[in-house]
Amino acid sequence: MYNIKADLHTHTVNSGHGYSTVDELARTASKKDIELIAVTEHGPSLPGGPHRYFFSNMSILPEEMYGVKILKGIEANIGNKGKLDLNESDLKSLDFVAAGLHYNTGHTLSNKKEYTKATVEAIKNPLVNMITHPASIYYPLDLEKVVKAASMHDVILEVNAGSFHPKKKGARGNKNLTIKLCKLARKHGVLLSLNSDAHFHTQVGQVHHLFDIIKEAGITDENLINTSIDKIETFLEDNRLRKISV
Ligand SMILES: [Zn+2]
Ligand SMILES: [Zn+2]
């Protein structure tokens, strides 16, 4: 139904609670006709997350494995006042910067207003390309404010398919919030990315169980950035130019 060509949110063993390697992710992506993956390990403040040197060294990875383009990335943790848990020069060395709110990462944010404010601050950071799981029930956000900020600052918002994983304990996915996010993104012209958030290689590109939900919200391939590698590359080039100016 949707022509998914890329997965912009994946984890490996290096995140501390992932169970596959970059090689396995790439190989599985290739078998599933996924043409590009972003390897987005959790930022250093998540227990078990890699040290900052891990991120500055990611450039040693090949550009492409098994015919799959590899973006070297991070899922940085959003802290108080929207601060990320990796310094600017290390963030700049990466191809793709995602950011999201997570437990046990040192922030003291405690309600919707604070989660929203921190997320909007992260969106304003020119080094941030995508916000992960904005429709999470764990960190409820004022979605209208977040979508408007994403529109203004040209940031991708994620539809996180992993949140609906049936085997995941305490799944954070919520159909109504996801539909609301999709409708607002359409209204304000914000690009969405339908990602797996894979923590095991078989989950790469596993997003099909969300098709009915996003269809109900009127989403088409046009609204999704990960239906075209060209769209992703153009977006990243525009964002790279923004980074230079930081
Ligand atoms: Zn996350
Ligand atoms: Zn993740």
Side-chain angles (χ1 to χ4, degrees):
M1 196 189 303
Y2 292 95
N3 191 27
I4 301 297
K5 289 287 169 204
D7 193 340
L8 293 179
H9 188 171
T10 66
H11 298 274
T12 75
V13 282
N14 297 303
S15 274
H17 59 277
Y19 308 92
S20 296
T21 61
V22 176
D23 189 274
E24 288 166 325
L25 291 182
R27 209 182 311 197
T28 299
S30 168
K31 282 183 192 153
K32 293 186 177 183
D33 289 327
I34 297 287
E35 294 170 11
L36 177 150
I37 59 170
V39 178
T40 51
E41 311 294 4
H42 287 287
S45 67
L46 194 99
H51 189 271
R52 56 171 283 245
Y53 296 160
F54 172 89
F55 295 99
S56 57
N57 196 40
M58 277 186 105
S59 56
I60 65 150
L61 287 173
E63 302 280 303
E64 203 173 302
M65 295 168 78
Y66 308 103
V68 177
K69 289 186 173 157
I70 311 289
L71 295 184
K72 292 103 189 182
I74 183 172
E75 182 183 17
N77 295 295
I78 299 175
N80 291 346
K81 297 183 180 165
K83 195 171 167 7
L84 303 186
D85 60 342
L86 195 67
N87 65 56
E88 213 169 80
S89 67
D90 287 338
L91 287 172
K92 276 184 181 173
S93 73
L94 297 170
D95 300 323
F96 189 70
V97 176
L101 286 161
H102 299 96
Y103 286 132
N104 298 321
T105 52
H107 69 70
T108 55
L109 310 165
S110 62
N111 57 56
K112 187 172 181 174
K113 198 174 163 191
E114 290 177 2
Y115 304 147
T116 303
K117 201 159 181 268
T119 302
V120 168
E121 286 305 313
I123 288 171
K124 287 182 187 167
N125 184 337
L127 300 174
V128 170
N129 303 125
M130 181 178 80
I131 296 296
T132 56
H133 39 73
S136 164
I137 55 168
Y138 296 158
Y139 288 106
L141 299 175
D142 182 329
L143 287 176
E144 182 135 25
K145 278 194 183 150
V146 168
V147 171
K148 280 184 178 167
S151 169
M152 189 175 294
H153 297 279
D154 203 16
V155 166
I156 304 163
L157 294 178
E158 176 185 61
V159 177
N160 186 289
S163 295
F164 290 81
H165 199 285
K167 281 189 182 166
K168 199 167 170 173
K169 276 187 270 173
R172 67 190 160 200
N174 177 280
K175 184 181 168 184
N176 290 339
L177 284 178
T178 302
I179 287 179
K180 189 174 177 188
L181 169 71
C182 289
K183 286 186 172 170
L184 283 166
R186 274 179 56 210
K187 182 176 165 192
H188 295 284
V190 170
L191 280 169
L192 296 167
S193 188
L194 178 59
N195 300 322
S196 70
D197 198 359
H199 284 68
F200 187 61
H201 71 96
T202 56
Q203 296 167 343
V204 171
Q206 201 178 82
V207 297
H208 307 79
H209 54 294
L210 264 286
F211 282 2
D212 284 345
I213 293 179
I214 65 169
K215 191 176 175 222
E216 199 175 320
I219 295 298
T220 66
D221 276 355
E222 291 290 294
N223 307 115
L224 298 172
I225 194 166
N226 59 328
T227 49
S228 150
I229 305 305
D230 275 357
K231 243 199 279 192
I232 292 170
E233 287 178 345
T234 304
F235 174 88
L236 288 176
E237 178 58 17
D238 292 348
N239 272 247
R240 193 182 63 79
L241 298 175
R242 278 202 304 170
K243 274 190 203 180
I244 292 170
S245 64
V246 177

